[in-house]
Amino acid sequence: MYKVIYLMGYRFSSSKCLTICLGLTFIMGCFLASLPIQFDLAALPKPVRHQISSEFPPKKRLALIVPFRDRFEELLEFVPHMHKFLNKQKIPFHIFIIQQADSNRFNRASLINVGFLLTRNDYDYIAMHDVDLLPMNDDLKYDYPDKAPIHISSPETHPKYHYDTFIGGILLIKNEHFELVNGMSNNYWGWGLEDDEFYVRLKDAGLNVNRPDNIKTGPEKTFKHLHNKMYRKRDMRKCYNQREVTRRRDRVTGLHDVSYVLTGQRQLTIDTLPLTVHNVQLICNVNVTPWCRCPEPQKPSKS
Ligand code: UDP
Ligand code: MN
């Protein structure tokens, strides 16, 4: 007995039917293999994009270093502003808030030294950046300062400081130059003069300071200075021999001997924009710089 199959009116034995089926499969396979291969690329899952620049050579990376204590309202305005401002310039950057978390007087220069040590392996240059100074003119370019440091907040455009050798506020410097001058002096506790001392360091190392030369907006409109001097009083006290020592160039302290303890690190966002906060306890050698804590002035007695 063998099975008989009727197909489209024809009579086939089952073995014949199997042969025909195999034959048809083979012909279909050959036909499909001969077709050109087409993928719908849009339908494929997208690869995960990491922040690797396709530019060659790759763009230099900027660590925006903000020495900081007790300026939260300013920070809330600073972070969104800087993201918008630097994204327009397509600068790869990250904001590092170096928050002084000890009971010594504020030391802007030592905080910048610490910020540099924390970022130098991953970034190519730093901006030492006041938290309360917002650049308003898009012609202020935060480009890699290859030849020499770039002073963004020049005396012609800074809202408050107009002397020739002023380099405070916002200064860009590449890692090699910051290391060359041994960073900033650690002797400046309280407000002022640390930037003037840094200017002398740069000069002694033969480094010029470049400034943007095409800015027409003047001291009124180039920056917004979020500084109410009644509310944010500058700590101008001078005690012990502070005045005498801080008038002179410091050839001893700097990047290599800044003394500190890291007490915490946080990744934050403000309006979804990322920043890193490092909490830093600066260690003061009171034998060398006793003015890191000025004694409170004696109140007159009531008798
Ligand atoms: N700063 C701070 N807390 C302070 C003092 C200063 O965060 O108690 C930081 C902040 O980034 C500020 C910068 O140091 O923008 C410069 O200080 P300040 O604004 O007092 O100096 P100015 O340039 O206005 O004389
Ligand atoms: Mn200020």
Side-chain angles (χ1 to χ4, degrees), residues 71 130 132-133 158 160-161 225-227 234:
R71 300 283 180 105
D130 284 1
D132 62 5
L133 201 60
H158 190 283
K160 188 169 163 60
Y161 301 112
H225 192 191
L226 310 167
H227 196 143
R234 297 180 173 95

Coordinates of all heavy atoms in Angstrom, one line a residue, residues 71 130 132-133 158 160-161 225-227 234, ligand 2:
R71 N 27.2 80.5 49.2 CA 26.7 81.3 48.1 C 25.7 80.5 47.3 O 25.7 80.5 46.1 CB 27.9 81.8 47.2 CG 29.0 82.6 47.8 CD 28.5 84.0 48.1 NE 29.6 84.8 48.7 CZ 30.3 85.7 48.0 NH1 30.1 85.9 46.8 NH2 31.3 86.4 48.7
D130 N 34.8 82.8 39.7 CA 33.9 83.3 40.7 C 32.5 82.8 40.5 O 32.0 82.8 39.3 CB 34.0 84.8 40.8 CG 35.2 85.3 41.5 OD1 36.1 84.5 41.8 OD2 35.4 86.5 41.6
D132 N 29.9 84.3 41.4 CA 28.9 85.5 41.3 C 29.2 86.3 40.0 O 28.6 87.4 39.9 CB 28.9 86.3 42.5 CG 30.3 87.0 42.8 OD1 31.2 86.8 42.0 OD2 30.4 87.6 43.9
L133 N 30.0 85.8 39.1 CA 30.3 86.6 37.9 C 29.9 85.9 36.7 O 30.5 84.9 36.3 CB 31.9 86.9 37.9 CG 32.4 88.0 37.1 CD1 31.8 89.4 37.6 CD2 33.9 88.1 37.1
H158 N 35.5 94.2 33.7 CA 35.0 93.8 35.0 C 34.2 94.9 35.7 O 34.6 96.0 35.6 CB 36.2 93.4 35.9 CG 35.8 92.7 37.2 ND1 35.3 93.4 38.3 CD2 35.8 91.4 37.5 CE1 35.0 92.5 39.2 NE2 35.3 91.3 38.8
K160 N 33.9 95.8 38.6 CA 34.4 96.5 39.8 C 35.9 96.8 39.8 O 36.4 97.8 40.3 CB 34.1 95.6 41.0 CG 34.4 96.2 42.4 CD 33.8 95.4 43.5 CE 34.4 95.8 44.9 NZ 34.2 97.2 45.3
Y161 N 36.7 95.9 39.2 CA 38.2 96.1 39.3 C 38.8 96.5 38.0 O 38.6 95.8 37.0 CB 38.8 94.8 39.8 CG 38.3 94.4 41.2 CD1 37.4 93.3 41.3 CD2 38.5 95.2 42.3 CE1 36.9 92.9 42.6 CE2 37.9 94.9 43.6 CZ 37.1 93.7 43.7 OH 36.6 93.4 44.9
H225 N 27.3 90.8 37.9 CA 28.0 90.5 39.2 C 26.9 90.4 40.3 O 26.3 91.4 40.7 CB 29.0 91.7 39.5 CG 29.9 91.4 40.7 ND1 30.7 92.3 41.3 CD2 30.2 90.2 41.3 CE1 31.4 91.7 42.2 NE2 31.1 90.5 42.3
L226 N 26.6 89.2 40.7 CA 25.5 88.9 41.6 C 26.0 89.2 43.1 O 26.0 88.3 43.9 CB 25.1 87.5 41.5 CG 24.8 86.9 40.2 CD1 24.7 85.4 40.3 CD2 23.5 87.4 39.7
H227 N 26.5 90.4 43.3 CA 27.1 90.6 44.6 C 26.5 91.8 45.3 O 26.8 92.9 45.0 CB 28.6 90.7 44.4 CG 29.4 90.6 45.7 ND1 30.6 90.0 45.8 CD2 29.1 90.9 47.0 CE1 31.1 89.9 47.0 NE2 30.2 90.5 47.8
R234 N 32.6 91.3 52.4 CA 34.0 90.8 52.1 C 34.7 90.8 53.5 O 34.7 91.7 54.2 CB 34.7 91.7 51.1 CG 34.0 91.6 49.8 CD 34.7 92.5 48.7 NE 34.1 92.3 47.4 CZ 33.1 93.1 46.9 NH1 32.7 94.2 47.6 NH2 32.6 92.9 45.7
Ligands
MN2 MN 31.9 89.1 44.1

